[in-house]
Amino acid sequence: MLAGLPAIYGIDPFSTETVSSTQLGTLGFTADGRKFRYAKVGSGAALVAGDVIQSPAETTGAQSRIVAAAAIGATAITTTDTLTAAANEFADGYIIVTGEASTGTGHAYRIKSHPAASAAVCTFQLYDKVEVALTATTQVDIVANPYNGVIQWPATQSGSAIGVAFLAAPASSYTWLQTGGLAAVLTTGTVAVGANVSASTASAAAAETATAALPTLGYAVTGIATGECGAIHLIID
């Protein structure tokens, strides 16, 4: 199993796997320089080639949680507020110290593992060590890995746009999402050549001429008719 590498060169973006071969979020390159991120497809539906892809839907119940005191050097953080999560649902995600009055605000710690929790407190094992001691009033957000359980961009945004599906990857499989270079992308509304594009604010799976509402995904290499997949140079990575 490949691990710990910041990037992999010469990937086959047409491949899918049932068992992961590298870390989620790993950056991959094809021979022509296009960029990709390794991701796990959500269990609900297969991806469709050319669709804009979103991170898993935000888990609001894992935000603004209070944790127990933890000393500098600790490799685990335990909530005192309750939450509900499947075992390792947040593995390879992050604990973000958020509260303005919290000790250690602004630090992010990568999650190694955790047990299941059903409206219960939960202990998160970390890859990192706590850098600033946490107190009994420290507030955190528990954030899933954005590449774990990716879904089609919905008509109503519930996460962030992180890439474009390169092929029809089955549900729960591992695949490469395109994030940089020329890609075939589904669009809605006429897109002029050279125009910046973002994920659509109203149409599922599609990109549209960019608005201030969402970050730019890339720019159109050709003019694109509404409802078609067209050439867009992605600049997500």
Side-chain angles (χ1 to χ4, degrees):
M1 177 176 176
L2 298 170
L5 296 175
I8 300 174
Y9 296 89
I11 66 165
D12 175 11
F14 288 101
S15 65
T16 62
E17 299 171 317
T18 57
V19 178
S20 64
S21 61
T22 190
Q23 297 181 66
L24 294 176
T26 293
L27 185 62
F29 294 85
T30 54
D32 62 349
R34 287 173 295 169
K35 297 179 183 179
F36 295 77
R37 290 280 182 173
Y38 192 72
K40 183 178 183 181
V41 182
S43 61
L47 302 187
V48 176
D51 280 5
V52 177
I53 302 302
Q54 183 195 266
S55 61
E58 179 185 31
T59 307
T60 56
Q63 297 173 3
S64 301
R65 302 291 84 187
I66 304 299
V67 299
I72 293 172
T75 56
I77 293 175
T78 300
T79 66
T80 52
D81 281 342
T82 62
L83 70 149
T84 297
N88 292 323
E89 177 179 342
F90 294 97
D92 294 321
Y94 301 89
I95 290 179
I96 310 294
V97 185
T98 61
E100 291 183 6
S102 298
T103 303
T105 296
H107 285 81
Y109 300 107
R110 186 169 172 235
I111 298 167
K112 186 175 184 180
S113 64
H114 65 86
S118 179
V121 301
C122 189
T123 296
F124 294 85
Q125 303 298 325
L126 308 176
Y127 288 103
D128 309 308
K129 294 181 179 180
V130 171
E131 288 293 318
V132 177
L134 309 179
T135 71
T137 60
T138 297
Q139 178 178 289
V140 305
D141 283 356
I142 303 157
V143 182
N145 186 304
Y147 301 101
N148 187 5
V150 301
I151 61 174
Q152 179 195 72
W153 177 260
T156 301
Q157 177 187 5
S158 60
S160 56
I162 58 169
V164 171
F166 195 73
L167 76 167
S172 301
S173 69
Y174 295 86
T175 190
W176 293 97
L177 301 179
Q178 190 168 353
T179 60
L182 193 141
V185 184
L186 177 67
T187 62
T188 184
T190 301
V191 178
V193 61
N196 288 338
V197 298
S198 62
S200 175
T201 56
S203 296
E208 64 186 11
T209 302
T211 67
L214 292 169
T216 298
L217 300 181
Y219 54 87
V221 178
T222 65
I224 309 169
T226 185
E228 294 186 353
C229 284
I232 291 176
H233 187 102
L234 298 174
I235 57 170
I236 302 168
D237 275 320

